Amino acid sequence: MKVLIADDDRVLTLLLATRLKSKGWQVDVAHDAMQALMFAMKAAPDVIALDIGMPGGTGIEVLKKLKQSVRTEQIPVVVVSNSIAPDIETTVLGLGAVAFLRKPVDPSTMHATLSQLLGQPST
Amino acid sequence: VQMPEMDGLEATAAIRANESRTGRHLPIIALTALAMKGDREACLAAGMDGYLTKPLRSSDLLDAIEALVPTAVAPAASGLVGPTFDRAELLGRVEGDRTLLAELVELFRTESPRLLTELRGCLEASDAKGVQAAAHALRGAVGNFGARAASEAALVLEVMGRDGALTDGEARLSDLEREVRRFEQDLDRLGEEVAV
């Protein structure tokens, strides 16, 4: 399975990528909105873990673009955030995200969530 | 101080009465929304050692605790990690992988001065959005390690940035820098420990 992790938090991306690779996942990492869109278009991930607080265009815009493009609209998006906006979860689920994880994200939680989404064993 | 059943003054008096037999002294800090003249004196007269008014700033509470119990917050001589982050949580996140932990710490040490510099720059330029973004990024970074005090200090600046209320920014940035420093000192000790 292939996942795109899009987050400017390099500590978190390393933490998540290491765990997912150890579970046999292929992992692409993007650190800004442009990279995220590029990888989503070109690398054809099975699922995307998207932070919505990145520089260079907000993750909300990335999410909208992903859901507007025929090439990416089918890819499930898990939104990751520690936004202080109170209605952020409702907003992103309304925009087509399939799950919402609040930061700090535990790698086990992320692995379980992605596996469940793709019908993979999560152990 | 004001609590149901028994208020803080009564509780303090009861604790102190008990201590007159045991000879111990448990430091007690009053946390109260009362800020009237004489309230502080009443708390201290009841046997409390410190007095803080709400809304409470975590840095004030830490300072008050440090003043009363220096050994509780000061680095433990045994090399035990201090209270600035959740050690068990962090080790769980890396599943005991020391190499990964070392890499994460190194990454954080590169990122945190960069973000703090950015935060300072935005603050000096009165760039509220920039303050919000940099504080948000920093809060995320320290949050990965379960560094709660640093995370809260970053949140204060993030909210100030969101609200465009930067008047107190300089002081709050000092709070944040202090918390990050304390956290990094604990990371040093953790590094020494897990390297053994």
Side-chain angles (χ1 to χ4, degrees):
Chain A
M1 290 288 114
K2 191 172 188 179
V3 59
L4 166 63
I5 303 173
D7 198 321
D8 61 316
D9 180 344
R10 285 160 200 267
V11 172
L12 182 61
T13 53
L14 176 60
L15 186 58
L16 295 177
T18 306
R19 175 72 67 91
L20 290 164
K21 282 178 187 167
S22 81
K23 302 287 183 185
W25 287 66
Q26 271 181 275
V27 181
D28 284 324
V29 172
H31 286 130
D32 62 45
M34 277 304 291
Q35 267 186 338
L37 281 170
M38 215 173 65
F39 273 119
M41 298 285 179
K42 305 220 159 146
D46 297 297
V47 62
I48 298 172
L50 174 69
D51 170 43
I52 50 161
M54 287 184 294
T58 73
I60 292 278
E61 286 157 29
V62 175
L63 178 60
K64 283 183 186 163
K65 288 204 169 75
L66 289 173
K67 291 298 150 191
Q68 281 161 8
S69 162
V70 285
R71 292 172 71 180
T72 54
E73 64 180 349
Q74 299 300 328
I75 306 173
V77 178
V78 176
V79 164
V80 176
S81 168
N82 58 354
S83 167
I84 49 178
D87 50 354
I88 191 69
E89 180 168 357
T90 322
T91 305
V92 299
L93 294 177
L95 288 172
V98 289
F100 179 85
L101 295 178
R102 190 160 280 285
K103 289 188 181 184
V105 176
D106 190 272
S108 302
T109 310
M110 179 60 86
H111 178 236
T113 306
L114 299 181
S115 301
Q116 194 188 351
L117 278 173
L118 300 183
Q120 299 290 306
S122 60
T123 49
Chain B
V1 171
Q2 287 177 311
M3 292 184 293
E5 304 280 341
M6 179 189 272
D7 71 28
L9 298 177
E10 285 176 76
T12 302
I15 292 167
R16 294 293 177 241
N18 190 42
E19 284 176 345
S20 65
R21 290 197 303 276
T22 62
R24 296 186 61 227
H25 182 89
L26 178 69
I28 299 174
I29 301 167
L31 306 180
T32 178
L34 297 173
M36 307 289 287
K37 194 172 184 300
D39 291 334
R40 180 192 190 90
E41 288 68 27
C43 290
L44 298 181
M48 295 189 182
D49 305 282
Y51 175 91
L52 292 174
T53 51
K54 299 176 186 177
L56 204 56
R57 286 215 341 255
S58 56
S59 55
D60 288 341
L61 180 58
L62 277 172
D63 289 345
I65 293 172
E66 276 182 41
L68 290 170
V69 254
T71 50
V73 184
S78 65
L80 287 173
V81 168
T84 60
F85 72 105
D86 192 327
R87 179 201 156 93
E89 192 178 301
L90 176 58
L91 290 174
R93 275 187 196 155
V94 298
E95 291 191 311
D97 184 339
R98 295 173 183 189
T99 315
L100 173 58
L101 181 60
E103 282 179 62
L104 294 173
V105 169
E106 199 185 314
L107 256 180
F108 177 76
R109 287 190 192 288
T110 320
E111 292 289 292
S112 79
R114 182 180 69 78
L115 290 169
L116 282 170
T117 305
E118 196 176 314
L119 190 46
R120 179 165 292 284
C122 293
L123 202 55
E124 280 163 7
S126 299
D127 171 5
K129 273 210 155 67
V131 167
Q132 182 184 4
H136 180 84
L138 203 61
R139 181 162 69 89
V142 295
N144 290 316
F145 297 91
R148 300 216 160 73
S151 180
E152 279 172 33
L155 178 60
V156 170
L157 279 156
E158 186 178 342
V159 171
M160 289 170 75
R162 181 198 63 189
D163 298 343
L166 303 179
T167 327
D168 238 5
E170 192 62 36
R172 298 296 77 79
L173 179 58
S174 299
D175 291 345
L176 175 60
E177 285 170 337
R178 190 186 59 228
E179 290 306 336
V180 170
R181 226 167 21 242
R182 274 161 41 86
F183 165 56
E184 287 185 329
Q185 284 163 4
D186 279 349
L187 277 181
D188 284 340
R189 275 189 295 281
L190 179 72
E192 286 160 20
E193 255 182 273
V194 298
V196 173

